[in-house]
Amino acid sequence: MLSEILKYLVIAIGSYSVYLVLEIIFPPFNFPKTIPTIPFYVSFLGSYENLDQEQIYKRYLKDKLEKYGAVKIYFASRWNILVSRPEYLLTIFKNEDVYAKSGNHIKIPGSVMASYTGDNIISAHGELWKLYREVVAPSIQFPDKEPVYKNTKMMLEIIENELKNSDTIAIADILQRYTLNNVGNSMIGIDFRALEGSQSFMHQKIKYVKSQIFRPFYMNFPYFDKFPIPSRLTAKREVNSFRNWYGQKLIDEHKPELSNSAATKLVNALKDGKLTEKQYLDNAVIVMVAGHENPLLLMLSVLFILGKNPDLQESLRTEKIPLESVIYETLRVYPPLAQIINRCTTKATVLGENIFIPKGVYVGYNNLATGRDRGIWGPDADEFNPSRWGNTLDEINQNYSQAKRMATLPAFHGRKRACLGEKFAIFEIKECISAIIGKYRISLGENWKPKLTPSGPVCPLGLQIKFEKA
Ligand code: HEM
């Protein structure tokens, strides 16, 4: 009798395991048949192969996305639809209620990522989004730019100091401290003191959290964050204690006279009962995270491009070309947020002419693919060519605005949910890059092997820059 029960138990567990594996290998039967499927293992390649995101994209995604504009892809414990064709992107951006934002707190609840950024202005939908926007949008759209000048000077002093030890610097840490200070001073209204001394508590904590979130295995299988794995439990505990510390810091240090700062706005909304404590923390964290991480990624990519290209540096120094065209071209070729999958269909719908998408399916976009699409950007789409944006600043800016409007460059999303921090990000990137190349000729570190991140946000991995006085 017991052996009979055991036998059935083994069969049941075995069948369930097979079912789970098949669910990973094949997309659900009701997914659209009119677009290709990317092999399920592609999303994990960055974890076990020595490939970066550009190589993975070229090898497995490029041809299919260029041809069909959309594919089925396995990511974050589920099958999704990934889109790159501007026409499809515009449909998604315009139909907010069908392709509703549904961030990590809903998609991967219990994950380290979700416990860090929660439900916030970027990921929320409908009334909640309006509420969060009312509280923090003004601080992001109308920052106090003044502190950036002082921070830029401090950042240059740190570089100068480091150069006493070696002519080559792993630059990411310094720039992270710089962007952190910028968002703190200009938008949040709190001095994070990230550029003072060699260690900053804030910077160290953020680096730890980032290292836990962007572990390729858990990004693909956030499901495992639900299990009591000691390292993941520690990561969640650390995230929580950091969030609480940071939320309290804003309460203690906000200056009511800085009435447009995010800290004052958030603390007031908490006191007035407009936001719950969790909503307060979620939004306080996202302003700080999006506000410093994303510009940092783009700064690193611009430095990477310039480090490879001394002539381009010289053209910028002699003002032969505007820095804007280099920044826009970098956004096209190395969009900091290459792949974003955070919308879920609220009803069955048809994308384009024949992509039938059932209700409850996650739909996302791939910026790398849109930016590199030869059908949009021509046969040289893979080449870095800032002159494609035009010659005069007016022409360059017009072409850039047009590319955003038509969703041929969706690096800052677009339309109603377009990035609110874009102008500030471009401003501080211009300040940073002009200051660095105004003072130094840069090149790639001789021992650094050019490689992008294997998954997650796009930037050169561990970039090392060699500096010589200009
Ligand atoms: C190079 C720098 C940046 C890039 C590439 C970038 C990119 C993006 C993208 C792609 C989105 C849409 C996300 C989605 O599809 O869900 C977005 C939204 C957003 N970004 Fe940025 N971002 C940058 C800098 C910033 C900065 C400095 C802030 C300041 C806090 C910021 C705040 C926001 C906010 C609040 C939204 C949500 C807007 C809404 O839905 O109403 N971003 N950004």
Side-chain angles (χ1 to χ4, degrees), residues 301-327:
S301 294
V302 173
L303 286 177
F304 171 53
I305 293 283
L306 294 177
K308 282 199 289 190
N309 199 332
D311 292 345
L312 191 56
Q313 286 176 52
E314 207 42 42
S315 302
L316 290 172
R317 262 184 228 110
T318 50
E319 298 184 6
K320 276 203 198 87
I321 62 165
L323 181 50
E324 277 79 352
S325 61
V326 174
I327 295 177

PDB file of all heavy atoms in Angstrom, residues 301-327:
ATOM      1  N   SER A 301      29.103  55.132 -20.824  1.00  0.00           N
ATOM      2  CA  SER A 301      29.120  54.757 -22.248  1.00  0.00           C
ATOM      3  C   SER A 301      29.727  55.869 -23.098  1.00  0.00           C
ATOM      4  O   SER A 301      30.461  55.597 -24.048  1.00  0.00           O
ATOM      5  CB  SER A 301      27.707  54.421 -22.737  1.00  0.00           C
ATOM      6  OG  SER A 301      27.256  53.259 -22.073  1.00  0.00           O
ATOM      7  N   VAL A 302      29.422  57.134 -22.753  1.00  0.00           N
ATOM      8  CA  VAL A 302      30.008  58.242 -23.527  1.00  0.00           C
ATOM      9  C   VAL A 302      31.536  58.228 -23.345  1.00  0.00           C
ATOM     10  O   VAL A 302      32.289  58.382 -24.317  1.00  0.00           O
ATOM     11  CB  VAL A 302      29.407  59.604 -23.099  1.00  0.00           C
ATOM     12  CG1 VAL A 302      30.138  60.750 -23.784  1.00  0.00           C
ATOM     13  CG2 VAL A 302      27.923  59.688 -23.431  1.00  0.00           C
ATOM     14  N   LEU A 303      31.990  57.997 -22.124  1.00  0.00           N
ATOM     15  CA  LEU A 303      33.445  57.962 -21.890  1.00  0.00           C
ATOM     16  C   LEU A 303      34.102  56.809 -22.658  1.00  0.00           C
ATOM     17  O   LEU A 303      35.206  56.930 -23.167  1.00  0.00           O
ATOM     18  CB  LEU A 303      33.747  57.832 -20.395  1.00  0.00           C
ATOM     19  CG  LEU A 303      33.518  59.094 -19.565  1.00  0.00           C
ATOM     20  CD1 LEU A 303      33.773  58.817 -18.091  1.00  0.00           C
ATOM     21  CD2 LEU A 303      34.422  60.243 -20.032  1.00  0.00           C
ATOM     22  N   PHE A 304      33.383  55.701 -22.706  1.00  0.00           N
ATOM     23  CA  PHE A 304      33.874  54.531 -23.452  1.00  0.00           C
ATOM     24  C   PHE A 304      34.056  54.890 -24.930  1.00  0.00           C
ATOM     25  O   PHE A 304      35.107  54.635 -25.537  1.00  0.00           O
ATOM     26  CB  PHE A 304      32.857  53.395 -23.265  1.00  0.00           C
ATOM     27  CG  PHE A 304      33.068  52.191 -24.121  1.00  0.00           C
ATOM     28  CD1 PHE A 304      34.301  51.553 -24.154  1.00  0.00           C
ATOM     29  CD2 PHE A 304      32.027  51.663 -24.874  1.00  0.00           C
ATOM     30  CE1 PHE A 304      34.494  50.417 -24.937  1.00  0.00           C
ATOM     31  CE2 PHE A 304      32.208  50.531 -25.655  1.00  0.00           C
ATOM     32  CZ  PHE A 304      33.437  49.912 -25.687  1.00  0.00           C
ATOM     33  N   ILE A 305      33.032  55.516 -25.495  1.00  0.00           N
ATOM     34  CA  ILE A 305      33.090  55.927 -26.904  1.00  0.00           C
ATOM     35  C   ILE A 305      34.255  56.907 -27.117  1.00  0.00           C
ATOM     36  O   ILE A 305      35.051  56.760 -28.055  1.00  0.00           O
ATOM     37  CB  ILE A 305      31.760  56.638 -27.300  1.00  0.00           C
ATOM     38  CG1 ILE A 305      30.590  55.665 -27.293  1.00  0.00           C
ATOM     39  CG2 ILE A 305      31.899  57.382 -28.619  1.00  0.00           C
ATOM     40  CD1 ILE A 305      30.539  54.754 -28.491  1.00  0.00           C
ATOM     41  N   LEU A 306      34.362  57.900 -26.241  1.00  0.00           N
ATOM     42  CA  LEU A 306      35.405  58.915 -26.416  1.00  0.00           C
ATOM     43  C   LEU A 306      36.789  58.329 -26.169  1.00  0.00           C
ATOM     44  O   LEU A 306      37.757  58.691 -26.848  1.00  0.00           O
ATOM     45  CB  LEU A 306      35.160  60.107 -25.484  1.00  0.00           C
ATOM     46  CG  LEU A 306      33.899  60.920 -25.779  1.00  0.00           C
ATOM     47  CD1 LEU A 306      33.714  62.027 -24.763  1.00  0.00           C
ATOM     48  CD2 LEU A 306      33.968  61.513 -27.190  1.00  0.00           C
ATOM     49  N   GLY A 307      36.866  57.411 -25.212  1.00  0.00           N
ATOM     50  CA  GLY A 307      38.150  56.775 -24.911  1.00  0.00           C
ATOM     51  C   GLY A 307      38.693  56.015 -26.115  1.00  0.00           C
ATOM     52  O   GLY A 307      39.896  55.889 -26.312  1.00  0.00           O
ATOM     53  N   LYS A 308      37.772  55.512 -26.950  1.00  0.00           N
ATOM     54  CA  LYS A 308      38.185  54.757 -28.139  1.00  0.00           C
ATOM     55  C   LYS A 308      38.537  55.682 -29.288  1.00  0.00           C
ATOM     56  O   LYS A 308      39.064  55.241 -30.298  1.00  0.00           O
ATOM     57  CB  LYS A 308      36.994  53.883 -28.626  1.00  0.00           C
ATOM     58  CG  LYS A 308      36.786  52.639 -27.830  1.00  0.00           C
ATOM     59  CD  LYS A 308      35.948  51.627 -28.602  1.00  0.00           C
ATOM     60  CE  LYS A 308      34.495  52.052 -28.728  1.00  0.00           C
ATOM     61  NZ  LYS A 308      33.628  51.003 -29.265  1.00  0.00           N
ATOM     62  N   ASN A 309      38.129  56.962 -29.155  1.00  0.00           N
ATOM     63  CA  ASN A 309      38.138  57.818 -30.326  1.00  0.00           C
ATOM     64  C   ASN A 309      38.761  59.198 -30.047  1.00  0.00           C
ATOM     65  O   ASN A 309      38.046  60.176 -29.811  1.00  0.00           O
ATOM     66  CB  ASN A 309      36.670  57.970 -30.750  1.00  0.00           C
ATOM     67  CG  ASN A 309      36.540  58.433 -32.164  1.00  0.00           C
ATOM     68  OD1 ASN A 309      37.434  59.111 -32.675  1.00  0.00           O
ATOM     69  ND2 ASN A 309      35.435  58.103 -32.787  1.00  0.00           N
ATOM     70  N   PRO A 310      40.104  59.288 -30.103  1.00  0.00           N
ATOM     71  CA  PRO A 310      40.765  60.566 -29.794  1.00  0.00           C
ATOM     72  C   PRO A 310      40.352  61.690 -30.737  1.00  0.00           C
ATOM     73  O   PRO A 310      40.238  62.840 -30.324  1.00  0.00           O
ATOM     74  CB  PRO A 310      42.259  60.260 -29.966  1.00  0.00           C
ATOM     75  CG  PRO A 310      42.372  58.830 -30.309  1.00  0.00           C
ATOM     76  CD  PRO A 310      41.034  58.210 -30.427  1.00  0.00           C
ATOM     77  N   ASP A 311      40.063  61.348 -32.018  1.00  0.00           N
ATOM     78  CA  ASP A 311      39.679  62.398 -32.972  1.00  0.00           C
ATOM     79  C   ASP A 311      38.347  63.039 -32.578  1.00  0.00           C
ATOM     80  O   ASP A 311      38.160  64.246 -32.709  1.00  0.00           O
ATOM     81  CB  ASP A 311      39.537  61.824 -34.389  1.00  0.00           C
ATOM     82  CG  ASP A 311      40.887  61.396 -34.922  1.00  0.00           C
ATOM     83  OD1 ASP A 311      41.905  61.802 -34.323  1.00  0.00           O
ATOM     84  OD2 ASP A 311      40.915  60.630 -35.901  1.00  0.00           O
ATOM     85  N   LEU A 312      37.463  62.191 -32.101  1.00  0.00           N
ATOM     86  CA  LEU A 312      36.152  62.707 -31.669  1.00  0.00           C
ATOM     87  C   LEU A 312      36.338  63.651 -30.473  1.00  0.00           C
ATOM     88  O   LEU A 312      35.716  64.713 -30.403  1.00  0.00           O
ATOM     89  CB  LEU A 312      35.252  61.521 -31.295  1.00  0.00           C
ATOM     90  CG  LEU A 312      33.773  61.795 -31.067  1.00  0.00           C
ATOM     91  CD1 LEU A 312      33.152  62.467 -32.274  1.00  0.00           C
ATOM     92  CD2 LEU A 312      33.041  60.478 -30.768  1.00  0.00           C
ATOM     93  N   GLN A 313      37.227  63.276 -29.566  1.00  0.00           N
ATOM     94  CA  GLN A 313      37.517  64.167 -28.422  1.00  0.00           C
ATOM     95  C   GLN A 313      38.023  65.513 -28.922  1.00  0.00           C
ATOM     96  O   GLN A 313      37.610  66.561 -28.440  1.00  0.00           O
ATOM     97  CB  GLN A 313      38.609  63.568 -27.534  1.00  0.00           C
ATOM     98  CG  GLN A 313      38.170  62.415 -26.677  1.00  0.00           C
ATOM     99  CD  GLN A 313      39.356  61.848 -25.925  1.00  0.00           C
ATOM    100  OE1 GLN A 313      40.099  62.566 -25.262  1.00  0.00           O
ATOM    101  NE2 GLN A 313      39.536  60.546 -26.021  1.00  0.00           N
ATOM    102  N   GLU A 314      38.914  65.448 -29.899  1.00  0.00           N
ATOM    103  CA  GLU A 314      39.493  66.690 -30.419  1.00  0.00           C
ATOM    104  C   GLU A 314      38.413  67.538 -31.096  1.00  0.00           C
ATOM    105  O   GLU A 314      38.360  68.760 -30.900  1.00  0.00           O
ATOM    106  CB  GLU A 314      40.614  66.340 -31.422  1.00  0.00           C
ATOM    107  CG  GLU A 314      41.698  67.378 -31.577  1.00  0.00           C
ATOM    108  CD  GLU A 314      42.174  68.011 -30.263  1.00  0.00           C
ATOM    109  OE1 GLU A 314      42.352  67.287 -29.266  1.00  0.00           O
ATOM    110  OE2 GLU A 314      42.338  69.254 -30.246  1.00  0.00           O
ATOM    111  N   SER A 315      37.511  66.889 -31.832  1.00  0.00           N
ATOM    112  CA  SER A 315      36.415  67.637 -32.472  1.00  0.00           C
ATOM    113  C   SER A 315      35.551  68.319 -31.419  1.00  0.00           C
ATOM    114  O   SER A 315      35.036  69.409 -31.640  1.00  0.00           O
ATOM    115  CB  SER A 315      35.525  66.709 -33.294  1.00  0.00           C
ATOM    116  OG  SER A 315      36.272  66.065 -34.251  1.00  0.00           O
ATOM    117  N   LEU A 316      35.374  67.662 -30.280  1.00  0.00           N
ATOM    118  CA  LEU A 316      34.563  68.277 -29.217  1.00  0.00           C
ATOM    119  C   LEU A 316      35.330  69.427 -28.570  1.00  0.00           C
ATOM    120  O   LEU A 316      34.773  70.505 -28.326  1.00  0.00           O
ATOM    121  CB  LEU A 316      34.194  67.241 -28.146  1.00  0.00           C
ATOM    122  CG  LEU A 316      33.193  66.174 -28.567  1.00  0.00           C
ATOM    123  CD1 LEU A 316      33.067  65.095 -27.490  1.00  0.00           C
ATOM    124  CD2 LEU A 316      31.818  66.791 -28.828  1.00  0.00           C
ATOM    125  N   ARG A 317      36.624  69.207 -28.336  1.00  0.00           N
ATOM    126  CA  ARG A 317      37.440  70.256 -27.693  1.00  0.00           C
ATOM    127  C   ARG A 317      37.482  71.514 -28.549  1.00  0.00           C
ATOM    128  O   ARG A 317      37.416  72.613 -28.053  1.00  0.00           O
ATOM    129  CB  ARG A 317      38.865  69.739 -27.465  1.00  0.00           C
ATOM    130  CG  ARG A 317      39.062  69.257 -26.052  1.00  0.00           C
ATOM    131  CD  ARG A 317      40.494  68.833 -25.800  1.00  0.00           C
ATOM    132  NE  ARG A 317      40.453  67.540 -25.146  1.00  0.00           N
ATOM    133  CZ  ARG A 317      40.822  66.394 -25.696  1.00  0.00           C
ATOM    134  NH1 ARG A 317      41.339  66.366 -26.900  1.00  0.00           N
ATOM    135  NH2 ARG A 317      40.712  65.285 -25.018  1.00  0.00           N
ATOM    136  N   THR A 318      37.558  71.304 -29.860  1.00  0.00           N
ATOM    137  CA  THR A 318      37.659  72.462 -30.752  1.00  0.00           C
ATOM    138  C   THR A 318      36.274  72.917 -31.218  1.00  0.00           C
ATOM    139  O   THR A 318      36.164  73.722 -32.143  1.00  0.00           O
ATOM    140  CB  THR A 318      38.533  72.121 -31.973  1.00  0.00           C
ATOM    141  OG1 THR A 318      38.044  70.885 -32.512  1.00  0.00           O
ATOM    142  CG2 THR A 318      39.983  71.961 -31.604  1.00  0.00           C
ATOM    143  N   GLU A 319      35.258  72.352 -30.598  1.00  0.00           N
ATOM    144  CA  GLU A 319      33.855  72.710 -30.877  1.00  0.00           C
ATOM    145  C   GLU A 319      33.481  72.547 -32.346  1.00  0.00           C
ATOM    146  O   GLU A 319      32.676  73.301 -32.876  1.00  0.00           O
ATOM    147  CB  GLU A 319      33.555  74.133 -30.373  1.00  0.00           C
ATOM    148  CG  GLU A 319      33.732  74.210 -28.868  1.00  0.00           C
ATOM    149  CD  GLU A 319      33.350  75.557 -28.277  1.00  0.00           C
ATOM    150  OE1 GLU A 319      32.835  76.404 -29.023  1.00  0.00           O
ATOM    151  OE2 GLU A 319      33.575  75.745 -27.075  1.00  0.00           O
ATOM    152  N   LYS A 320      34.095  71.559 -32.988  1.00  0.00           N
ATOM    153  CA  LYS A 320      33.721  71.274 -34.386  1.00  0.00           C
ATOM    154  C   LYS A 320      32.364  70.593 -34.432  1.00  0.00           C
ATOM    155  O   LYS A 320      31.616  70.726 -35.380  1.00  0.00           O
ATOM    156  CB  LYS A 320      34.780  70.371 -35.037  1.00  0.00           C
ATOM    157  CG  LYS A 320      35.952  71.131 -35.572  1.00  0.00           C
ATOM    158  CD  LYS A 320      36.647  70.307 -36.653  1.00  0.00           C
ATOM    159  CE  LYS A 320      38.036  70.823 -36.896  1.00  0.00           C
ATOM    160  NZ  LYS A 320      39.064  70.241 -36.012  1.00  0.00           N
ATOM    161  N   ILE A 321      32.086  69.787 -33.396  1.00  0.00           N
ATOM    162  CA  ILE A 321      30.745  69.174 -33.342  1.00  0.00           C
ATOM    163  C   ILE A 321      30.171  69.396 -31.936  1.00  0.00           C
ATOM    164  O   ILE A 321      30.918  69.450 -30.951  1.00  0.00           O
ATOM    165  CB  ILE A 321      30.760  67.656 -33.675  1.00  0.00           C
ATOM    166  CG1 ILE A 321      31.608  66.885 -32.657  1.00  0.00           C
ATOM    167  CG2 ILE A 321      31.241  67.374 -35.072  1.00  0.00           C
ATOM    168  CD1 ILE A 321      31.359  65.395 -32.723  1.00  0.00           C
ATOM    169  N   PRO A 322      28.833  69.522 -31.847  1.00  0.00           N
ATOM    170  CA  PRO A 322      28.239  69.696 -30.517  1.00  0.00           C
ATOM    171  C   PRO A 322      28.209  68.372 -29.743  1.00  0.00           C
ATOM    172  O   PRO A 322      27.998  67.305 -30.333  1.00  0.00           O
ATOM    173  CB  PRO A 322      26.807  70.160 -30.822  1.00  0.00           C
ATOM    174  CG  PRO A 322      26.764  70.446 -32.288  1.00  0.00           C
ATOM    175  CD  PRO A 322      27.853  69.639 -32.914  1.00  0.00           C
ATOM    176  N   LEU A 323      28.420  68.476 -28.446  1.00  0.00           N
ATOM    177  CA  LEU A 323      28.422  67.278 -27.585  1.00  0.00           C
ATOM    178  C   LEU A 323      27.076  66.545 -27.652  1.00  0.00           C
ATOM    179  O   LEU A 323      27.004  65.323 -27.497  1.00  0.00           O
ATOM    180  CB  LEU A 323      28.755  67.714 -26.143  1.00  0.00           C
ATOM    181  CG  LEU A 323      28.846  66.659 -25.052  1.00  0.00           C
ATOM    182  CD1 LEU A 323      29.733  65.495 -25.446  1.00  0.00           C
ATOM    183  CD2 LEU A 323      29.357  67.282 -23.752  1.00  0.00           C
ATOM    184  N   GLU A 324      26.010  67.309 -27.898  1.00  0.00           N
ATOM    185  CA  GLU A 324      24.672  66.689 -27.957  1.00  0.00           C
ATOM    186  C   GLU A 324      24.641  65.523 -28.948  1.00  0.00           C
ATOM    187  O   GLU A 324      24.052  64.484 -28.675  1.00  0.00           O
ATOM    188  CB  GLU A 324      23.613  67.714 -28.393  1.00  0.00           C
ATOM    189  CG  GLU A 324      23.082  68.591 -27.285  1.00  0.00           C
ATOM    190  CD  GLU A 324      24.019  69.735 -26.933  1.00  0.00           C
ATOM    191  OE1 GLU A 324      25.161  69.766 -27.442  1.00  0.00           O
ATOM    192  OE2 GLU A 324      23.618  70.594 -26.127  1.00  0.00           O
ATOM    193  N   SER A 325      25.288  65.721 -30.127  1.00  0.00           N
ATOM    194  CA  SER A 325      25.186  64.648 -31.133  1.00  0.00           C
ATOM    195  C   SER A 325      25.890  63.383 -30.647  1.00  0.00           C
ATOM    196  O   SER A 325      25.461  62.267 -30.946  1.00  0.00           O
ATOM    197  CB  SER A 325      25.746  65.100 -32.482  1.00  0.00           C
ATOM    198  OG  SER A 325      27.112  65.433 -32.350  1.00  0.00           O
ATOM    199  N   VAL A 326      26.952  63.551 -29.849  1.00  0.00           N
ATOM    200  CA  VAL A 326      27.651  62.374 -29.310  1.00  0.00           C
ATOM    201  C   VAL A 326      26.756  61.698 -28.256  1.00  0.00           C
ATOM    202  O   VAL A 326      26.659  60.467 -28.191  1.00  0.00           O
ATOM    203  CB  VAL A 326      29.011  62.795 -28.688  1.00  0.00           C
ATOM    204  CG1 VAL A 326      29.681  61.622 -27.988  1.00  0.00           C
ATOM    205  CG2 VAL A 326      29.918  63.360 -29.769  1.00  0.00           C
ATOM    206  N   ILE A 327      26.092  62.509 -27.452  1.00  0.00           N
ATOM    207  CA  ILE A 327      25.226  61.940 -26.403  1.00  0.00           C
ATOM    208  C   ILE A 327      24.031  61.210 -27.039  1.00  0.00           C
ATOM    209  O   ILE A 327      23.711  60.073 -26.666  1.00  0.00           O
ATOM    210  CB  ILE A 327      24.747  63.044 -25.434  1.00  0.00           C
ATOM    211  CG1 ILE A 327      25.946  63.616 -24.676  1.00  0.00           C
ATOM    212  CG2 ILE A 327      23.696  62.515 -24.464  1.00  0.00           C
ATOM    213  CD1 ILE A 327      25.624  64.758 -23.736  1.00  0.00           C
TER     214      ILE A 327
END
